[in-house]
Structures are given as structure tokens and as C-alpha cells.
């Protein structure tokens, strides 16, 4: 509940401080005195944007401090606790402070801690509900009529289900759109890859095949020379009749073996020659085996040359080195497989979109049914209230039409329209086509009272919502606001004596000027002062005995 508001150097206010009591507090005053300034200042503490024009002329900065008692506002207390802004020594109190410099810079504080405007707005939604002078004109907008009905119905679960289904559908449709937009490009790429992969599949080169192929090509191309040179080497090492390396070594071994008896230092040399003889003999046998295995096969050479040439041609086509053909083949095959997966994904995503679309439609249909039921109840409540406000023949209808052809939205596919007829025999139609300004004010006020009475916000502020109302209707509106004030805290800025008379408390706003500057003051009225103020509202600036008598009569609640 709002306990106190203090304002310094804001607009034409130099300094005011107002305690706000429980019940209905009415704010009255002369035209242009600044009756709405306190509400504007409060709005500033609830996150409204500030500008340099809000700073009183000649002042360095404007300051607004608002004190709330949150002992019976669990949502606000929970928010403060979650944001680590709850005062441990005074957990039932909350102070909001807003500073605006003459340059337009702004600072905000909650319980002495600097916060952002978004945080102010987030906390403010649990503390105060403000209904402005033109709030009833918002009723003419279909979106606001839908929000009004949803707020009254309280079907958060159905709304959440629709929103979740819509978001899921939107994301899948967006992904599907992206896939479809690139489909031709993917098809072209897939067709190219299909040809390339098939060609490489047919060639089917192994991972290290080209290196081996290159070696074999060289061997087969030089097989005759290799055989001839190998045979000569074998002859020279082992089989030459006139001379061969093995015979020469063995002869040296025999000669030196006889001499080592005379000189033992020759023994290591004899051993080395014996090892050499063994190595030469083994090498000769390996050469013989090599010659036996070496093929001179023109047909195989032709086959190798053909495969080698194909590898070189494929490498040229793909702009890679021949030894990288295998890696290129694998990469293209993987890309081709992914594109095939995309095609499958496209089909699957299309099916998923249809599935989520049906889920959305089911959720939207449930929301539609809830809205239809709530619309009947709300219409009856509004009708009952406006009949009490001198609209005896008014009938209210709320149409809830489900549009199957409409694109999905986060709030369903319902077209909601408040319709009214104010005279017997007159067909019901949209508000802007039937009601006058005063009638719209009464309907708007009825709706605000109905919706406000069901919420958990402790303080409701009405800023001249009684515009266009007068006479007996004004008295009915006053009784309605007083009844609402008995259950919670209500502040109403009004110019109607019939409304002001129903207040539990009354604040008078006056404007003082010395010719050079202007200052606004707010004064809490005593019972006698209330009589004079109500009389002023009835008769104007000149008080008469009749006006005072009428004021006393109005105050007999």
C-alpha cells in the first residue's frame, strides 16, 4: 500500500509531502492547479521515462521519493528478495527514489540501491495500478479488448500453452523456410556431387594406392634394365668364371689365414673377410631371387599406365594432387550424404510443422472455449455495473470468433469485439459506433472496477476517469469507487463533487503565484474544509449558503 509520497522541484512543485491513507482518497482542486502532478511523480517512480522539462525552473534536479507498506503484498516482497533489495531491518517497507537532473539525466534507487528503469517497472506492477484520463479510449482497440478479457478470465495456463506452441511452430516454420529457399541451390550441388562421387566410386582409389601405383609404374617401365643390371651384378658377385667377388674374398681369407700364424693381429681382418663373404653370398642369393621374381609383363604395364593416367586426369578435374584423390573422394561422399540427409530433414520438418500446427490449433481451441465462457460472465458484470450508472437499457455483448483461416499468433486466433446497445430496439454494435463519450467513460470505469477488484495490486489510482459523467451518474460512480476503496487503497483525481463526497479522505491541490514563479501545494482537508471544497465544486469560486448546504448533504454518506 502507498504510504507517503514526497516531491521536490518537480514541474511546478517546489516541495510537497502527502501521507496516503487506506480507503478512497479523492484529489480535487482548481483547473490547472496540477491535480495530476502527484500521479505523474508516482509514475516516474514506477519506471516512466523522465526528461529535463520535468525539473522545476531554476532547480538543479527533481526528486521523488515514494514509501510503500508491503506487509500485505507478498509478490512485491518476493520480488525484492529475489533481487536482493529487501531491507533486513525493515522487510515490510519499500522506498523508491527517482532523481532527474536539469540536463535530463536520471537515477533510480530501491531501498537505497541503484536500479534500472526495467527494475522499477518490474516492481511497480505489484504495487500500483494507474488508470489514466483516456484509459477508456483504449477500449476501442481490439487488442486491448482481448487483453481485458484474458485478464478477467485468468486462464494463464491456456495462454501459455498457445504461446509455447506458437513459438515452437514459428521456429520450425522459419527453419523450413530457410531449407526451402536454398533447395534449388542444394539440388544443383547434389546433382554435381552425385556425378562426381559416382565417378570416384567407379575408380575407387585406395588410401595410399597412388604412391604404390607410382612405384609400380616406375618398376614395370624399367623392368628390362632392372633385370639386366641385376643379372650382371649376380654374375660379378657370385657366378663369374674368370672372376667374382665371392671367390676373391675367399682367396684373400685363405691367404691371410695362413699368415695369421706368424702375425696374430691379422685375425680380426680374417674375421671381417669371412663376414663379408657371408654377406656377399647372401646378397647374391637375394639378387638371384629378385631376378626370378621380376616380371617383364607388357600387358600389366599397360594396365598400370592406364590407371595412373586416370588418376592424373581425376586429380586435374578436381584441382587436387593425385595423392589427395582418396581424401577428396571421402569429403565429397560425406557432403553428398549430408545433402541427402537435408532432403530427409525437409520431409521430416514438414511433418513436424504439421504436427506442431495441430498442437497449436488444439491449444488455441481450448483458449477459445475459455474465452467464450469468460466473455459471457464479463459481459453480464459490465452490463450490471453500467446499468447502475444510469444506462438502464444498456446491453453488453462480447463476441469471441475463432478465425480458422488466420495465421497463428502468440495469443490465439480469436477476434474479440465488445458490442453494446444503449437503447431498446437498437442493434448491438462496436463501442465506437454506438456509445457517446460519457457512455464510453462509464463502460470503461465499470471495466476498470471489475478487473481491479480481482487483482492483487494494493493501490489503484484513477486519474479523472469520470470525464463525461455528471449528475446522478456521478454519484453512482462515487459509490462504486468508495466500495472499491473499502477493500483496498484507491486514489481518484476528480472534478465532480458527487464523486469527491464519497471519499474517505480528501486532498486539495492549489496553485500559488507571486508573479514571478508558481508553486503547487497539496493539503489534506479536515471535515469542515471538505464542506467548503465540495461547495466550491458545486457552485464555483463564490460560495453560497445553498452550495454549503448541498455539500453537507452530499457528505452524509
Amino acid at each position: 500500500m502507498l504510504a507517503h509520497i514526497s516531491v521536490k522541484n518537480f514541474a511546478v512543485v517546489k516541495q510537497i509531502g502527502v501521507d496516503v491513507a487506506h480507503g478512497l482518497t479523492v484529489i480535487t482542486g482548481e483547473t490547472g492547479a496540477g491535480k495530476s502532478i502527484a500521479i505523474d511523480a508516482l509514475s516516474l517512480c514506477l519506471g516512466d521515462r523522465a526528461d529535463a522539462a520535468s525539473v522545476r525552473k531554476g532547480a538543479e534536479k527533481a526528486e521523488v521519493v515514494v514509501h510503500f507498506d508491503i506487509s500485505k503484498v507478498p509478490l512485491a516482497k518476493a520480488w525484492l528478495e529475489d533481487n536482493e533489495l529487501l531491507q533486513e531491518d525493515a522487510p515490510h517497507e519499500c522506498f523508491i527514489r527517482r532523481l532527474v537532473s536539469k540536463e535530463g539525466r536520471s537515477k533510480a534507487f530501491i531501498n537505497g540501491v541503484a536500479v534500472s528503469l526495467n527494475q522499477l517497472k518490474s516492481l511497480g506492477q505489484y504495487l500500483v495500478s494507474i488508470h489514466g484520463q483516456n484509459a477508456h479510449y483504449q477500449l476501442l482497440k481490439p487488442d486491448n479488448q482481448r487483453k481485458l478479457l484474458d485478464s478477467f478470465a485468468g486462464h494463464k495456463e491456456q495462454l501459455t500453452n498457445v504461446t509455447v506452441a506458437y513459438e515452437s511452430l514459428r521456429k520450425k516454420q522459419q527453419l523450413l523456410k530457410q531449407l526451402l529457399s536454398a533447395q534449388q541451390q542444394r539440388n544443383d550441388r547434389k546433382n554435381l556431387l552425385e556425378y562426381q562421387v559416382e565417378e570416384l566410386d567407379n575408380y575407387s582409389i585406395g588410401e595410399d594406392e597412388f604412391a604404390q601405383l607410382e612405384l609400380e609404374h616406375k618398376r614395370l617401365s624399367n623392368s628390362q634394365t632392372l633385370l639386366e643390371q641385376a643379372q650382371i651384378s649376380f654374375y660379378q658377385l657370385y657366378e663369374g668364371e674368370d672372376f667374382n667377388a665371392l671367390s676373391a674374398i675367399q682367396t684373400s681369407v685363405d691367404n691371410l689365414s695362413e699368415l695369421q700364424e706368424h702375425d696374430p693381429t691379422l685375425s680380426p681382418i680374417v674375421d671381417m673377410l669371412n663376414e663379408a663373404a657371408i654377406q656377399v653370398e647372401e646378397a647374391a642369393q637375394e639378387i638371384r631371387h629378385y631376378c626370378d621374381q621380376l616380371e617383364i609383363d607388357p600387358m600389366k604395364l599397360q594396365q598400370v599406365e592406364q590407371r595412373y593416367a586416370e588418376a592424373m586426369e581425376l586429380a586435374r578435374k578436381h584441382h587436387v594432387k593425385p595423392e589427395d584423390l582418396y581424401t577428396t573422394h571421402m569429403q565429397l561422399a560425406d557432403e553428398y550424404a549430408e545433402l541427402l540427409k537435408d532432403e530427409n530433414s525437409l520431409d521430416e520438418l514438414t511433418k513436424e510443422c504439421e504436427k506442431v500446427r495441430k498442437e497449436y490449433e488444439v491449444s488455441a481451441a481450448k483458449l477459445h472455449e475459455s474465452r467464450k465462457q469468460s466473455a459471457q460472465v464479463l459481459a453480464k458484470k459490465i452490463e450490471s455495473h453500467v446499468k447502475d450508472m444510469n444506462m438502464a437499457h444498456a446491453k453488453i455483448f462480447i463476441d469471441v470468433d475463432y478465425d480458422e483461416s488466420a495465421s497463428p499468433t502468440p495469443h490465439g486466433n480469436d477476434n474479440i469485439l465488445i458490442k453494446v446497445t444503449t437503447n431498446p430496439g437498437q442493434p448491438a454494435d462496436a463501442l465506437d459506433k454506438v456509445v457517446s463519450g460519457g457512455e464510453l467513460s462509464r463502460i470503461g470505469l465499470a471495466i476498470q472496477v471489475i478487473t481491479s477488484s480481482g487483482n492483487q495490486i494494493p493501490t489503484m489510482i484513477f486519474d479523472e476517469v469520470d470525464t463525461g459523467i455528471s449528475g446522478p451518474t456521478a454519484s453512482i460512480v462515487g459509490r462504486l469507487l468508495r466500495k472499491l476503496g473499502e477493500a483496498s487503497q484507491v486514489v481518484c483525481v476528480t472534478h465532480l463533487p458527487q464523486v469527491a463526497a464519497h471519499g474517505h479522505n480528501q486532498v486539495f491541490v492549489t496553485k500559488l503565484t507571486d508573479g514571478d514563479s508558481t508553486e503547487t501545494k497539496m493539503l489534506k482537508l479536515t471535515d469542515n474544509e471538505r464542506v467548503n471544497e465540495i461547495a466550491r465544486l458545486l457552485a464555483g469560486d463564490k460560495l453560497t449558503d445553498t452550495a454549503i448546504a448541498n455539500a453537507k448533504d452530499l457528505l452524509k454518506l
Side-chain angles (χ1 to χ4, degrees):
M1 185 181 77
L2 178 62
H4 182 84
I5 179 169
S6 173
V7 183
K8 293 181 182 179
N9 298 321
F10 180 77
V12 293
V13 173
K14 186 175 182 180
Q15 182 170 350
I16 58 172
V18 181
D19 291 324
V20 187
H22 189 272
L24 172 62
T25 297
V26 293
I27 300 176
T28 61
E30 300 170 354
T31 301
K35 295 188 291 295
S36 298
I37 282 182
I39 296 176
D40 294 338
L42 179 61
S43 299
L44 199 64
C45 282
L46 299 176
D48 274 9
R49 292 196 172 276
D51 57 56
S54 62
V55 180
R56 179 178 170 85
K57 184 178 179 181
E60 292 295 317
K61 62 184 177 181
E63 179 185 46
V64 181
V65 180
V66 184
H67 174 206
F68 290 95
D69 177 357
I70 58 172
S71 57
K72 297 181 181 180
V73 194
L75 292 176
K77 189 180 292 186
W79 186 95
L80 289 170
E81 192 168 10
D82 291 342
N83 288 269
E84 299 182 350
L85 293 169
L86 189 67
Q87 299 182 110
E88 294 183 3
D89 56 341
H92 299 313
E93 292 184 309
C94 175
F95 291 87
I96 299 177
R97 180 171 174 244
R98 187 80 183 273
L99 298 175
V100 183
S101 72
K102 64 180 182 180
E103 293 80 19
R105 293 189 295 271
S106 169
K107 293 181 181 179
F109 303 87
I110 296 176
N111 289 333
V113 179
V115 295
S116 66
L117 292 188
N118 285 336
Q119 286 177 296
L120 286 184
K121 291 178 181 178
S122 182
L123 174 60
Q125 65 181 324
Y126 303 120
L127 297 173
V128 179
S129 173
I130 298 178
H131 305 273
Q133 296 180 24
N134 298 315
H136 47 276
Y137 288 109
Q138 300 299 316
L139 281 175
L140 302 178
K141 299 179 180 180
D143 281 351
N144 289 331
Q145 294 182 13
R146 171 181 53 77
K147 292 175 183 176
L148 163 68
L149 177 57
D150 287 339
S151 176
F152 175 79
H155 41 219
K156 292 183 179 179
E157 182 179 353
Q158 290 91 328
L159 274 171
T160 300
N161 291 340
V162 169
T163 302
V164 169
Y166 167 78
E167 286 299 323
S168 178
L169 178 60
R170 182 185 64 81
K171 289 178 181 178
K172 290 185 183 299
Q173 286 180 332
Q174 188 175 26
L175 182 57
L176 180 62
K177 183 178 179 180
Q178 292 172 352
L179 288 175
L180 288 172
S181 65
Q183 188 175 28
Q184 185 58 51
Q185 185 178 358
R186 286 198 313 277
N187 284 340
D188 293 341
R189 179 64 177 164
K190 182 177 71 67
N191 292 335
L192 174 61
L193 287 174
E194 184 177 16
Y195 166 76
Q196 291 177 328
V197 171
E198 183 179 3
E199 185 178 43
L200 289 169
D201 282 345
N202 291 335
Y203 185 73
S204 188
I205 191 169
E207 186 170 0
D208 298 316
E209 182 184 347
F210 184 77
Q212 297 171 0
L213 189 65
E214 199 169 26
L215 289 173
E216 189 171 11
H217 180 265
K218 288 180 180 180
R219 184 177 60 81
L220 289 172
S221 299
N222 297 280
S223 58
Q224 185 62 45
T225 302
L226 290 171
L227 180 59
E228 291 175 357
Q229 292 298 322
Q231 287 174 340
I232 290 172
S233 295
F234 177 74
Y235 182 81
Q236 290 173 340
L237 290 173
Y238 188 78
E239 212 172 49
E241 294 181 358
D242 297 333
F243 175 84
N244 62 70
L246 182 58
S247 297
I249 292 171
Q250 287 175 340
T251 300
S252 296
V253 169
D254 291 341
N255 293 335
L256 291 174
S257 295
E258 294 177 359
L259 293 175
Q260 69 181 347
E261 294 179 0
H262 306 295
D263 188 355
T265 59
L266 291 173
S267 294
I269 297 174
V270 172
D271 291 340
M272 284 189 288
L273 288 172
N274 280 324
E275 291 177 4
I278 294 171
Q279 292 290 330
V280 168
E281 187 173 7
E282 289 181 355
Q285 295 304 321
E286 288 295 324
I287 291 175
R288 174 185 284 177
H289 181 69
Y290 173 78
C291 291
D292 292 341
Q293 295 295 320
L294 188 62
E295 291 183 273
I296 300 177
D297 188 346
M299 290 297 296
K300 188 172 183 179
L301 175 60
Q302 184 178 357
Q303 293 172 357
V304 169
E305 285 180 338
Q306 182 178 354
R307 188 161 179 79
Y308 182 85
E310 289 175 354
M312 296 298 291
E313 176 61 19
L314 285 172
R316 185 190 63 77
K317 288 174 66 174
H318 290 280
H319 306 287
V320 297
K321 295 178 181 179
E323 53 267 32
D324 294 333
L325 267 180
Y326 175 81
T327 302
T328 301
H329 182 194
M330 295 300 102
Q331 290 174 344
L332 293 177
D334 288 343
E335 185 182 353
Y336 181 64
E338 286 299 319
L339 285 177
L340 290 179
K341 282 184 183 178
D342 281 349
E343 284 193 351
N344 294 332
S345 298
L346 193 61
D347 294 337
E348 291 175 4
L349 190 57
T350 302
K351 293 177 181 177
E352 286 180 16
C353 283
E354 288 300 319
K355 179 183 176 183
V356 176
R357 175 68 181 252
K358 290 179 181 178
E359 291 174 355
Y360 170 84
E361 290 173 351
V362 170
S363 297
K366 290 180 179 178
L367 178 61
H368 170 71
E369 289 302 318
S370 178
R371 280 171 170 165
K372 280 183 65 178
Q373 295 175 13
S374 298
Q376 295 177 359
V377 177
L378 179 58
K380 292 298 181 185
K381 283 181 174 285
I382 297 172
E383 186 175 303
S384 174
H385 278 74
V386 298
K387 282 183 176 180
D388 288 340
M389 288 187 282
N390 203 25
M391 293 177 65
H393 301 293
K395 289 190 177 297
I396 305 294
F397 306 92
I398 302 178
D399 290 348
V400 182
D401 297 323
Y402 187 83
D403 189 352
E404 295 183 355
S405 62
S407 299
T409 72
H411 43 73
N413 281 27
D414 289 323
N415 293 320
I416 297 168
L417 180 64
I418 298 177
K419 298 169 70 174
V420 61
T421 175
T422 55
N423 298 305
Q426 180 187 41
D429 208 338
L431 292 173
D432 58 343
K433 296 181 179 179
V434 174
V435 299
S436 64
E439 289 171 333
L440 181 61
S441 295
R442 278 174 270 180
I443 294 172
L445 181 59
I447 290 173
Q448 289 168 6
V449 171
I450 291 168
T451 55
S452 297
S453 61
N455 62 35
Q456 296 178 291
I457 301 175
T459 300
M460 286 165 282
I461 296 178
F462 297 89
D463 187 8
E464 294 195 25
V465 293
D466 50 13
T467 301
I469 298 172
S470 60
T473 304
S475 183
I476 295 169
V477 169
R479 286 199 298 271
L480 197 63
L481 291 172
R482 184 180 179 89
K483 182 178 180 181
L484 190 61
E486 289 171 354
S488 58
Q489 185 183 50
V490 178
V491 178
C492 178
V493 175
T494 182
H495 62 282
L496 298 177
Q498 296 91 337
V499 173
H502 285 82
H504 296 96
N505 316 284
Q506 186 166 351
V507 175
F508 176 68
V509 180
T510 185
K511 185 167 59 175
L512 306 175
T513 180
D514 59 5
D516 295 323
S517 63
T518 302
E519 183 179 345
T520 291
K521 292 285 187 180
M522 298 185 72
L523 307 171
K524 192 171 183 179
L525 301 182
T526 64
D527 291 343
N528 289 332
E529 290 170 339
R530 287 193 70 187
V531 172
N532 290 335
E533 172 60 7
I534 298 297
R536 184 191 67 78
L537 291 173
L538 286 167
D541 293 335
K542 186 177 181 180
L543 296 183
T544 64
D545 292 339
T546 302
I548 291 175
N550 289 336
K552 290 180 178 179
D553 187 55
L554 281 175
L555 287 167
K556 291 178 182 179
L557 303 176

